[in-house]
Amino acid sequence: MTGTTWTSETTGAGAYAQVNGLNMYYETHGSGRPLILLHGGLGSGEMFGPIMPTLADHHQVIAVDLQGHGRTADIDRPIRNTLMADDIAALIDHLGLDKPDVVGYSLGGGVALMTAVKYPQKVRRLVAASIYLRPDAVDPALRAQQGQVNADAAEFMKDTPMYELYQRVAPRPEDFPRLLNKIGQAMAEDFDHTEDVRGLQVPTLLVSADADMAPPSHMVEAFKLLDGGLRDGGWMGEGRPKGGHALAILPGLTHYNLFSSPLFAAVTLAFLDQED
């Protein structure tokens, strides 16, 4: 991960919105039907820099910095997908958006998922990348590493793109250890999104790298909850999932480069630009 620079070559219009006690930063790129874009843990909207021009050629992209990330300062509450979903719903109202698409990766994928679960009337289509239903989907060795994420790890992360980005853009760069503590606490919590996924009411694209944190078989399991992968799709698509859902396993990628891949941009746009 140290070889990846998390920065954007495109310049968007940055602004802040007061939502749920947060001074939330977001940048707007391009024009067209609105797309809310949510980054991964310890990142910011700048993670999507390499694919931002492609997305912004087709949509008005609103790249959000989630609680405690990027240019959005932390507040006194846990970092939790359900709470940050409330922030995104409030931002949609604040901006007066009419059912934007919501696209999220990793932590942002979980927030995007919960936004669609809790506020289906506010979301047109959902793209959730590099998420998993339960912690046991992840290799036990990786889970053990996640369990070691806390403030003490800050010193060892100074050569990572996460640390460099935070120091460059955060309102309080000294809060990086605090962010690590909160991310570590979030990853230590048990969860099961099985029923959340099964009950999705908006067309959803699940995306995974073929070498992601969870194996492709796990994303296939999630797709089955959406009536996917259970039968032949048929000549006219009559056997495809009833809710308009889809699955993409992207070749040659990992959890750590999917978000900046042209393949991710391509499958996202292909899904979002379908007619309802």
Side-chain angles (χ1 to χ4, degrees):
M1 292 190 348
T2 57
T4 303
T5 299
W6 288 2
T7 185
S8 177
E9 297 300 320
T10 62
T11 301
Y16 284 90
Q18 299 293 327
V19 294
N20 298 338
L22 272 183
N23 190 28
M24 175 179 277
Y25 180 81
Y26 64 95
E27 280 187 2
T28 304
H29 299 254
S31 61
R33 192 174 61 242
L35 181 166
I36 293 179
L37 188 61
L38 305 177
H39 61 80
L42 302 180
S44 80
E46 294 195 25
M47 293 176 68
F48 299 107
I51 65 170
M52 186 64 75
T54 302
L55 298 177
D57 276 348
H58 298 260
H59 291 265
Q60 180 192 51
V61 181
I62 300 158
V64 174
D65 285 358
L66 295 167
Q67 175 192 341
H69 288 75
R71 292 172 172 83
T72 300
D74 197 16
I75 58 174
D76 186 18
R77 72 176 192 192
I79 287 180
R80 190 169 290 151
N81 291 348
T82 51
L83 298 176
M84 292 187 288
D86 296 338
D87 299 337
I88 300 305
L91 180 66
I92 290 171
D93 291 342
H94 175 83
L95 297 177
L97 302 179
D98 180 20
K99 298 191 74 168
D101 298 315
V102 181
V103 178
Y105 153 79
S106 194
L107 173 67
V111 176
L113 169 64
M114 294 313 300
T115 303
V117 168
K118 297 181 71 174
Y119 303 96
Q121 74 281 5
K122 296 182 185 292
V123 178
R124 175 181 168 269
R125 284 178 173 249
L126 165 68
V127 178
S130 295
I131 65 169
Y132 40 93
L133 300 173
R134 304 174 306 276
D136 65 7
V138 176
D139 181 271
L142 181 57
R143 285 290 293 166
Q145 292 179 20
Q146 291 175 339
Q148 298 170 9
V149 174
N150 57 45
D152 294 338
E155 185 65 28
F156 303 100
M157 296 187 67
K158 288 190 174 179
D159 65 342
T160 66
M162 296 85 80
Y163 181 85
E164 183 278 329
L165 174 64
Y166 195 88
Q167 295 303 305
R168 180 161 50 84
V169 305
R172 298 192 299 264
E174 66 276 11
D175 278 0
F176 190 68
R178 169 188 170 122
L179 176 60
L180 289 179
N181 267 341
K182 287 196 172 185
I183 289 291
Q185 291 163 5
M187 290 192 297
E189 292 184 1
D190 195 20
F191 62 86
D192 189 337
H193 289 311
T194 299
E195 295 308 314
D196 293 325
V197 171
R198 194 196 310 274
L200 280 167
Q201 300 174 40
V202 302
T204 297
L205 171 64
L206 299 175
V207 184
S208 175
D210 61 359
D212 216 308
M213 282 186 174
S217 57
H218 181 74
M219 201 59 92
V220 171
E221 177 187 343
F223 190 43
K224 287 180 177 179
L225 298 173
L226 295 172
D227 190 45
L230 301 176
R231 69 193 75 84
D232 175 65
W235 284 102
M236 305 300 292
E238 66 273 11
R240 287 201 52 78
K242 297 180 183 67
H245 310 299
L247 170 67
I249 306 294
L250 304 185
L253 298 177
T254 71
H255 189 82
Y256 311 102
N257 61 11
L258 178 146
F259 58 86
S260 60
S261 168
L263 289 176
F264 178 48
V267 298
T268 294
L269 290 173
F271 179 74
L272 296 184
D273 291 349
Q274 294 176 34
E275 294 298 324
D276 291 329

